[in-house]
Amino acid sequence: MADVVELCSRLVRFDTTNRGLGDAEGEREAAEFVAGVLSGAGIEPKILESAPRRANVLARVPGTDPTLPPLLVQGHLDVVPADPADWSVPPFSGEVRDGYLWGRGSVDMKDFCAMVLSLVADGLRPRRDLVLAFVADEEDRGEWGAHWLVAEHREFFDGCAAAISESGGYTYHVPAADGRTVHLYPIGTAERGTAHLRLTARGRAGHGSRRNDENAVVRLVGALHRIAAHRWPVRLTPAVEAFLVRTGEALGIEVDLSDVDGTLARLGPAASLAENTVRASSTPTMIDAGYKVNVIPSVARAQVDVRTLPGTEEDVLATIDTLLGPGVEREFVSHMPPVQAPADSPWFTAMAGAIRAEDPEAVVVPYCMGGGTDAKAFSPLGIDCYGFAPLWLPAGFPYRAMAHGVDERVPVEGLEFGKRVLGHLLSTC
Ligand SMILES: [Zn+2]
């Protein structure tokens, strides 16, 4: 049996830091390692570079029933930067200590990549063909990874009916009304859309000491303030509604869909899985204006991180336009529509069954991710994308602080659990 912990540790030791805007390293070496494991298992991988050293690995694991549409299993090999000065262990050591495997990427998402590799190395015989994609550049815009693969090698994904990848299938210990602790496992069935906007305010340049009613900085700040302060209305999408109803039922907590904020307040810690996805959001994040304190510039710019829910995008952008005010225009820096897959599907049932096979107490619920993943690249191909990278987590483990955080680590027991759950799913679905 291939050791999933050892494989994950090997992957963590490749420093695949992605600093964004094309500044990345190590993906080539990690891809070669992945390809080596696959070749060793008799699978023929392809390494495809979108740019020098921006390597992606594609492979196909044949199923026992070739008439079934394939399942895409995809994960990214790049990671966000880690400053060693902040960490208790060197972030690329892949050290195993105190029951945890430590290092950047250990939960996001070399853990899942290691589970897939170790199952294949063990000689996994899936029922349907699996299309495997280990991609570059997810931690930036995916333009050298998933989005490039879809644009340039679309044929590889032909016929895939569904996909699984990061952000779902992990244990959330939540208190029920009667004092029990429930093992909640959220599976991602939707993702908010991304509309990253650049605002440009224009006005009349002039001396900072003089009156100016067309000051570009003032116009920009006004627009940003209105956008940041706007209270977006609650819009319940199928994934979020199903999450609230099923979670409330499992916890014995009253769910009132006409009072979503009140319901979230009653849900306790479980609310964190829905509080960012009951409405759109618009958050100013970058600002750039002026060059001298006594000069009013003619132009001021900012960027705003806007997230939309399935079915709400047009309304949100129309509202943003009314908030901009005179002299301020917007354009997209990045624009990716929301992702939505059915929560009541044989795929969901199979994933829930695989989790319950290993944790009989599991309550498996759909949820909507607040941010985005490479599902945004694959979903336009008609593939139902699910966030399912199973992991057992002990009570109190600060999972949400792990991805992109300091001292990222994964419980060894959790990795082994995840491999077993994934093995159930891939061999039976
Ligand atoms: Zn990730």
Side-chain angles (χ1 to χ4, degrees):
M1 296 273 277
D3 183 349
V4 63
V5 180
E6 173 58 23
L7 274 169
C8 188
S9 173
R10 292 287 300 273
L11 286 174
V12 168
R13 278 180 264 157
F14 294 101
D15 177 351
T16 54
T17 298
N18 186 347
R19 290 179 200 85
L21 302 176
D23 180 3
E25 57 193 304
E27 289 163 345
R28 175 79 206 186
E29 287 75 11
E32 282 171 5
F33 174 76
V34 166
V37 174
L38 295 171
S39 307
I43 306 293
E44 261 176 59
K46 277 193 176 70
I47 296 184
L48 297 169
E49 282 193 339
S50 51
R53 301 184 35 77
R54 303 307 304 268
N56 299 273
V57 186
L58 293 178
R60 196 167 179 117
V61 183
T64 51
D65 184 349
T67 65
L68 295 171
L71 173 69
L72 170 62
V73 179
Q74 56 102 358
H76 62 85
L77 292 171
D78 62 324
V79 296
V80 293
D83 182 350
D86 298 332
W87 283 57
S88 320
V89 299
F92 298 101
S93 64
E95 191 175 326
V96 179
R97 189 212 291 172
D98 306 330
Y100 290 88
L101 164 57
W102 298 68
R104 174 60 83 223
S106 58
V107 301
D108 183 13
M109 62 175 296
K110 289 175 171 172
D111 54 338
F112 180 75
C113 296
M115 290 175 208
V116 176
L117 288 176
S118 69
L119 286 165
V120 173
D122 286 348
L124 172 76
R125 282 297 276 159
R127 197 158 77 90
R128 63 182 71 238
D129 282 11
L130 303 178
V131 171
L132 307 184
F134 299 87
V135 306
D137 204 35
E138 193 275 345
E139 297 293 4
D140 195 29
R141 289 188 287 176
E143 62 183 313
W144 309 110
H147 288 274
W148 177 82
L149 285 170
V150 165
E152 302 295 326
H153 297 276
R154 194 189 176 118
E155 70 287 350
F156 212 87
F157 308 103
D158 276 352
C160 284
I164 57 169
S165 191
E166 62 188 323
S167 295
Y170 52 87
T171 331
Y172 223 79
H173 302 259
V174 287
D178 60 7
R180 280 174 307 132
T181 296
V182 169
H183 295 174
L184 198 66
Y185 289 80
I187 291 178
T189 62
E191 279 182 16
R192 293 200 299 179
T194 305
H196 288 160
L197 303 179
R198 180 184 293 112
L199 306 190
T200 304
R202 292 181 203 282
R204 185 160 46 84
H207 199 291
S209 69
R210 303 210 182 103
R211 178 180 167 158
N212 186 331
D213 297 329
E214 297 163 73
N215 182 330
V217 176
V218 174
R219 286 175 167 176
L220 181 73
V221 169
L224 291 176
H225 174 70
R226 287 186 294 275
I227 289 170
H230 185 72
R231 179 83 170 150
W232 296 98
V234 168
R235 287 285 291 268
L236 277 187
T237 56
V240 178
E241 182 172 328
F243 171 84
L244 293 175
V245 169
R246 296 184 201 179
T247 302
E249 200 177 83
L251 302 183
I253 287 167
E254 188 209 337
V255 169
D256 176 359
L257 295 179
S258 66
D259 175 20
V260 168
D261 289 319
T263 297
L264 286 171
R266 285 191 293 278
L267 280 182
S272 65
L273 289 163
E275 63 195 0
N276 289 311
T277 53
V278 296
R279 38 170 67 89
S281 62
S282 51
T283 305
T285 48
M286 295 172 76
I287 191 160
D288 175 23
Y291 49 90
K292 196 162 187 303
V293 69
N294 58 357
V295 179
I296 299 170
S298 60
V299 179
R301 292 190 178 84
Q303 294 195 31
V304 184
D305 185 349
V306 177
R307 306 291 174 141
T308 60
L309 285 160
T312 69
E313 198 185 41
E314 270 180 40
D315 284 0
V316 169
L317 292 173
T319 303
I320 295 269
D321 287 340
T322 68
L323 298 171
L324 290 178
V328 184
E329 291 175 344
R330 69 161 165 92
E331 64 192 309
F332 290 112
V333 177
S334 158
H335 183 207
M336 289 183 270
V339 170
Q340 191 163 224
D344 287 302
S345 66
W347 299 107
F348 190 90
T349 307
M351 289 183 278
I355 292 174
R356 280 195 296 265
E358 289 297 325
D359 182 354
E361 287 177 50
V363 173
V364 185
V365 293
Y367 89 114
C368 175
M369 294 176 220
T373 70
D374 276 339
K376 294 220 174 20
F378 296 110
S379 150
L381 300 180
I383 300 174
D384 286 337
C385 294
Y386 291 98
F388 183 76
L391 204 53
W392 162 261
L393 300 175
F397 180 69
Y399 178 70
R400 296 203 144 212
M402 292 289 109
H404 301 202
V406 169
D407 284 342
E408 183 177 347
R409 60 197 181 277
V410 66
V412 163
E413 201 190 329
L415 265 180
E416 287 161 350
F417 169 93
K419 178 184 172 182
R420 291 194 301 273
V421 171
L422 194 61
H424 281 289
L425 178 76
L426 298 184
S427 50
T428 58
C429 78

